[in-house]
Amino acid sequence: METYIVSQTQLPTKSVHNTIKLLNEDCTIPFISRYRKELTGNLDEVQIGDIVKFKEQFEAFEKRKSAILKSLEEQEVLTSELQNKIEETTDLIALEDLYLPYKKKRKTKADTARENGLEPLAKIIMSQSRNLGSSDIATLAMKYAKREVNSEEEALEGARHIIAEWINERTDIRNMLRNQLERFATISSKVVKKYIDDEKAQKFRDYFDWNESLTRIPSHRLLAILRATSEGFIRNKIEIDDEKALFKIEDRIIKSNDAASKQIKLAIEDSYKRLLLPALSNEALSAAKEKADETAINVFAKNLKQLLLGSPLGEKRVLAIDPGFRSGCKVVCLDAQGSLQHNETIYPHAPKNDTKGAMKKISSLADAHKIEAIAIGNGTASRETEQFIKRIHFKNPIQVFVVSEAGASIYSASKIARDEFPNYDVTVRGSVSIGRRLQDPLAELVKIDAKSIGVGQYQHDVDQAKLKSSLDTSVELCVNAVGVNINTASVPLLSYVSGIGQKLAENVVNYREENGAFTSRKEIMSVPRLGAKAFEQAAGFLRIREGKNPLDDSSVHPESYSVVSKIAKDKGVKVSELLGNKTLLQKIELEKYVTEKVGMPTLKDIIKELEKPGLDIREEAKVFTFNQDIKNITDLQEGQLLPGIVNNITNFGCFVDIGIKESGLIHVSNLADSFVSDVSEHVHLHQQIIVKVLDVDVDRKRIQLKLHK
């Protein structure tokens, strides 16, 4: 396993060995990357994640190998030569090729021919050892025409079926065709005629007559073609040069120029069209799809990470509004910890137009609840509600933010929301979610299935197990990078903390409700079923504000408290006096504190944390305002410079909210003057940017933008 992982990652053998050992001891990626740097050689989360991925791949491969060997033993066909070949194989495709002749499958044409006694004929033809003329092969075939075989042609056809299967099972031929597909395959698509004018099919119009290299097709385009195919609007086909492929097969097999070689040529054509090409083109398409999935999932995971690490306003009292026209605007007031204090509905817009009453109500609520910020959802009536709020003269200055509603409706109808607010309907829960997203995006977004947040493309078309695994890992890394206040965190947030999980998270919250707030990290071990291993994995990521030990509100792990105490003692100060004392901390000779267990990487991390204990790695939330003159797509003109917010990132560019219903696209070619290989290096989700309008297609509701530097 180690050799395989090293070959795939190019990481040092010792680092891989120690990381595998830690993973086998049920250590998590966040814990290993943060607190076991000495053992891993300072590997980061991405490198450890790669080790996890290839470890799982290797284990799955070995499991498949064992299953194949068991099957071959049961069939009593396992020779020592075959066993050696299988055991020495390190490639899944090669393994499946070795197993192919023995794989249990539906009855084939070759099986029927064998039952009819035609295998000896097939062997004679395939041997090409006799110089057979047409009459010779006819005479030979007639010997096998009996019972189910009524003629010499049927006998020859049956023999060709057997030969075709032999050709299909030849590893060298399969690999040669794989090489042709890898280098030269194209994917083409044609519209199904009855859908040519279908309204739903028009979004796939670009692929009604399309042809492109399968190797070079971008992820989003392949997934779009496959989506259109699955919906029945188009048909796709994988193609290579058939003549060239057939010639290459013939060159490997045909050794004579007689009647036998003619039969073999027919068998080659049959094998190619009926067996080889369908199977291997599907294999090539599956490989391309797997690659496209990986690209799409990586983009999704990157976007999710940026969204989760979005700027928090912090513990401020918030008035949140889920805007609407006919149904009104749902208003809630939250305290600094996000608890619901008040809710009601106002009707400032058409058809009721109770603007005065709504203004008066918002003003009185802001006073009564000492509101410090207002959060407005970015859905229907968002712009109108923002303008309405900005006309109110508040006694104290109040910041106004527009907040993404993506996934809020999913949360409001979820079991988590029902458990939190059993006595309120979905509209109130949705407004609460909008307000809490402003206070702390991470804490609120972890309650929503990541796929529902809408920060990727074709999330329903990619491998769902891989997508879930990748997104769960992203959430876990973000939660642990930020750290969690154990006394305020919800069950969903706690469940992503290293070593905790759903059940222990519930136990933590139940313990907190029964015994009051935790006052020290030591007390965490009193939680039922939270043992030494879970404590080791979780403690460094759980924060206790104003606890007994000042280090409990830092990322310093309890296992290192003794080191900090020794440093404080040597400097003649209390531990609390070290915190934030940069001048004193920079004078510490770290070499003095290196031990067998605590190395320089850990000591440097400790000093860095003591300099700024509990520092939130996220940026502060900033107020943003759209251009108030742009209300719909018809207000746009080429050349306009507009403020916008990045609301989705793809491989081909990013989408930008400019304050109207339709988002604009900045294509990769318009992100920079030079070549852009990674969109995320130029923009990030929810980034506030200035864009230039390049083109407006009102009919297709498409807006082309350029990033304005």
Side-chain angles (χ1 to χ4, degrees):
M1 181 190 291
E2 281 177 28
T3 307
Y4 172 73
I5 294 173
V6 169
S7 70
Q8 295 294 321
T9 61
Q10 306 303 310
L11 293 171
T13 303
K14 186 180 177 183
S15 298
V16 171
H17 173 82
N18 288 341
T19 302
I20 290 171
K21 188 170 182 291
L22 289 164
L23 290 167
N24 289 338
E25 291 169 0
D26 294 326
C27 294
T28 67
I29 295 175
F31 176 80
I32 295 169
S33 64
R34 181 71 178 79
Y35 297 113
R36 292 295 178 263
K37 291 181 177 179
E38 286 80 3
L39 286 172
T40 68
N42 218 0
L43 296 185
D44 62 25
E45 293 161 341
V46 175
Q47 291 167 317
I48 295 166
D50 285 342
I51 291 173
V52 170
K53 181 176 79 172
F54 291 116
K55 178 176 182 284
E56 289 171 352
Q57 274 184 17
F58 183 83
E59 287 167 346
F61 178 70
E62 288 298 304
K63 190 177 178 182
R64 178 62 179 152
K65 199 181 273 190
S66 297
I68 286 173
L69 287 168
K70 186 181 177 186
S71 171
L72 294 172
E73 275 182 348
E74 288 170 355
Q75 293 178 57
E76 298 181 350
V77 292
L78 185 62
T79 63
S80 56
E81 184 188 359
L82 181 56
Q83 184 167 349
N84 287 338
K85 280 183 180 177
I86 288 170
E87 286 175 349
E88 287 169 11
T89 299
T90 57
D91 177 73
L92 184 60
I93 289 174
L95 178 66
E96 295 296 344
D97 277 355
L98 286 169
Y99 182 47
L100 183 63
Y102 313 98
K103 200 171 186 176
K104 290 173 184 173
K105 47 188 178 280
R106 288 180 300 175
K107 190 174 181 180
T108 65
K109 290 181 177 182
D111 290 333
T112 304
R114 286 190 189 94
E115 286 172 8
N116 292 334
L118 295 171
E119 191 162 21
L121 176 60
K123 285 180 177 176
I124 292 168
I125 294 169
M126 197 63 176
S127 70
Q128 302 175 73
S129 57
R130 307 179 192 179
N131 189 16
L132 296 170
S134 299
S135 58
D136 297 328
I137 205 151
T139 305
L140 187 63
M142 280 304 294
K143 291 182 182 178
Y144 295 90
K146 51 190 174 182
R147 290 199 303 274
E148 301 298 322
V149 183
N150 298 314
S151 66
E152 64 184 70
E153 183 44 50
E154 279 190 22
L156 289 170
E157 184 183 34
R160 291 197 301 269
H161 287 153
I162 295 170
I163 293 168
E165 193 168 272
W166 288 339
I167 293 166
N168 179 53
E169 290 169 356
R170 272 185 55 168
T171 302
D172 64 323
I173 289 171
R174 294 177 76 85
N175 285 338
M176 179 273 292
L177 284 176
R178 282 187 183 109
N179 180 263
Q180 292 295 298
L181 283 158
E182 191 178 319
R183 294 173 65 194
F184 306 115
T186 60
I187 181 166
S188 60
S189 58
K190 296 278 184 190
V191 65
V192 175
K193 283 184 181 176
K194 67 178 180 178
Y195 291 116
I196 201 160
D197 295 317
D198 186 279
E199 190 181 334
K200 289 180 181 176
Q202 295 313 302
K203 62 183 174 181
F204 301 112
R205 194 166 70 190
D206 291 344
Y207 309 112
F208 282 4
D209 185 10
W210 189 265
N211 188 289
E212 187 170 6
S213 163
L214 184 63
T215 309
R216 291 193 288 274
I217 188 169
S219 163
H220 64 275
R221 204 138 64 216
L222 179 61
L223 291 173
I225 287 172
L226 295 178
R227 163 87 66 86
T229 304
S230 69
E231 292 184 11
F233 299 134
I234 65 172
R235 292 191 181 95
N236 73 67
K237 194 175 180 183
I238 305 299
E239 296 172 297
I240 52 174
D241 186 330
D242 292 340
E243 280 188 27
K244 187 178 178 182
L246 285 166
F247 175 79
K248 283 178 174 288
I249 299 172
E250 288 168 10
D251 192 48
R252 286 170 184 260
I253 294 174
I254 296 175
K255 308 297 179 194
S256 60
N257 186 18
D258 58 7
S261 66
K262 287 176 184 173
Q263 293 298 316
I264 295 171
K265 188 171 182 180
L266 289 171
I268 288 170
E269 288 173 8
D270 175 43
S271 182
Y272 177 73
K273 288 176 183 172
R274 182 168 59 87
L275 302 172
L276 285 164
L277 189 61
L280 296 180
S281 61
N282 279 341
E283 185 185 281
L285 183 58
S286 294
K289 165 74 163 57
E290 192 175 329
K291 190 178 169 187
D293 280 4
E294 190 175 340
T295 302
I297 289 169
N298 285 342
V299 170
F300 207 132
K302 267 187 188 177
N303 288 355
L304 179 63
K305 183 181 178 183
Q306 291 174 9
L307 193 64
L308 293 173
L309 295 180
S311 307
L313 185 66
E315 294 187 353
K316 301 281 178 71
R317 293 178 295 279
V318 171
L319 182 147
I321 305 173
D322 186 355
F325 289 117
R326 189 171 296 278
S327 57
C329 298
K330 306 297 183 284
V331 180
V332 297
C333 296
L334 308 176
D335 67 14
Q337 284 71 46
S339 298
L340 177 61
Q341 304 295 300
H342 179 84
N343 81 92
E344 67 176 86
T345 306
I346 58 172
Y347 299 89
H349 311 308
K352 290 198 176 180
N353 290 315
D354 182 21
T355 309
K356 271 191 178 178
M359 279 185 168
K360 190 176 177 183
K361 176 53 67 179
I362 293 292
S363 185
S364 64
L365 286 175
D367 287 347
H369 295 278
K370 296 183 174 62
I371 295 300
E372 296 168 274
I374 293 176
I376 302 167
N378 69 342
T380 305
S382 174
R383 293 291 298 279
E384 292 80 358
T385 303
E386 183 189 3
Q387 288 164 13
F388 152 72
I389 290 293
K390 287 185 174 177
R391 284 160 53 197
I392 301 172
H393 297 289
F394 295 105
K395 287 181 182 175
N396 298 307
I398 295 177
Q399 291 181 304
V400 179
F401 297 86
V402 175
V403 177
S404 170
E405 289 183 11
S409 59
I410 304 290
Y411 161 76
S412 58
S414 69
K415 183 181 182 300
I416 293 170
R418 290 196 302 274
D419 289 346
E420 279 192 282
F421 301 105
N423 303 319
Y424 295 95
D425 66 18
V426 291
T427 59
V428 174
R429 296 175 198 152
S431 301
V432 170
S433 182
I434 288 166
R436 286 177 171 177
R437 283 191 195 197
L438 177 61
Q439 291 174 321
D440 190 337
L442 178 60
E444 194 59 22
L445 289 169
V446 293
K447 299 175 186 175
I448 304 167
D449 177 9
K451 284 191 296 183
S452 306
I453 299 173
V455 290
Q457 278 208 311
Y458 302 103
Q459 58 258 44
H460 301 295
D461 302 288
V462 301
D463 185 303
Q464 295 301 292
K466 287 181 180 176
L467 177 63
K468 185 179 187 310
S469 173
S470 176
L471 298 186
D472 283 350
T473 299
S474 285
V475 177
E476 182 187 26
L477 294 179
C478 289
V479 168
N480 290 287
V482 171
V484 170
N485 182 341
I486 195 172
N487 286 322
T488 59
S490 64
V491 169
L493 185 59
L494 282 166
S495 70
Y496 282 104
V497 172
S498 166
I500 298 289
Q502 179 70 24
K503 188 60 190 166
L504 281 182
E506 290 171 8
N507 291 356
V508 168
V509 171
N510 291 338
Y511 180 91
R512 194 173 71 198
E513 288 172 354
E514 290 170 15
N515 300 281
F518 290 88
T519 57
S520 73
R521 276 176 170 163
K522 277 184 183 176
E523 193 185 346
I524 297 170
M525 293 193 76
S526 302
V527 173
R529 299 187 179 278
L530 201 154
K533 188 69 186 180
F535 180 78
E536 175 198 59
Q537 298 297 301
F541 305 105
L542 295 169
R543 309 278 189 271
I544 295 170
R545 304 270 160 83
E546 298 172 7
K548 294 173 182 175
N549 188 329
L551 295 177
D552 286 352
D553 191 18
S554 74
S555 66
V556 177
H557 198 284
E559 66 188 11
S560 297
Y561 282 8
S562 58
V563 179
V564 180
S565 297
K566 190 171 189 315
I567 291 170
K569 187 180 177 183
D570 289 351
K571 291 295 177 185
V573 296
K574 295 178 182 175
V575 168
S576 59
E577 292 175 288
L578 283 177
L579 302 182
N581 193 338
K582 199 168 182 179
T583 307
L584 179 59
L585 291 166
Q586 287 181 345
K587 290 177 182 175
I588 295 167
E589 295 174 31
L590 295 180
E591 293 79 7
K592 287 168 59 178
Y593 302 97
V594 173
T595 64
E596 199 174 311
K597 286 190 175 180
V598 181
M600 195 57 75
T602 295
L603 289 167
K604 284 180 178 177
D605 280 350
I606 290 171
I607 297 302
K608 189 177 175 184
E609 181 63 15
L610 293 177
E611 285 179 1
K612 294 179 180 178
L615 178 71
D616 197 320
I617 62 170
R618 299 170 291 179
E619 295 177 2
E620 288 183 18
K622 297 173 188 171
V623 172
F624 177 86
T625 304
F626 290 114
N627 185 318
Q628 300 301 307
D629 297 327
I630 308 298
K631 295 181 174 63
N632 56 60
I633 194 169
T634 55
D635 294 329
L636 296 174
Q637 292 178 4
E638 287 181 27
Q640 282 175 324
L641 293 179
L642 302 171
I645 296 177
V646 178
N647 61 4
N648 203 355
I649 293 175
T650 70
N651 269 357
F652 55 85
C654 68
F655 289 93
V656 181
D657 182 357
I658 52 174
I660 60 175
K661 186 179 178 182
E662 299 81 12
S663 290
L665 170 68
I666 304 179
H667 189 265
V668 281
S669 58
N670 294 316
L671 270 173
D673 295 329
S674 55
F675 176 74
V676 174
S677 59
D678 185 354
V679 176
S680 295
E681 288 178 1
H682 295 264
V683 290
H684 58 80
L685 271 182
H686 287 189
Q687 182 180 351
Q688 300 172 8
I689 59 175
I690 301 294
V691 295
K692 183 179 181 180
V693 179
L694 295 181
D695 184 62
V696 182
D697 185 338
V698 176
D699 294 335
R700 296 182 78 183
K701 296 181 179 178
R702 289 187 175 181
I703 305 159
Q704 293 288 337
L705 304 172
K706 181 180 176 70
L707 182 63
H708 184 72
K709 300 292 184 182

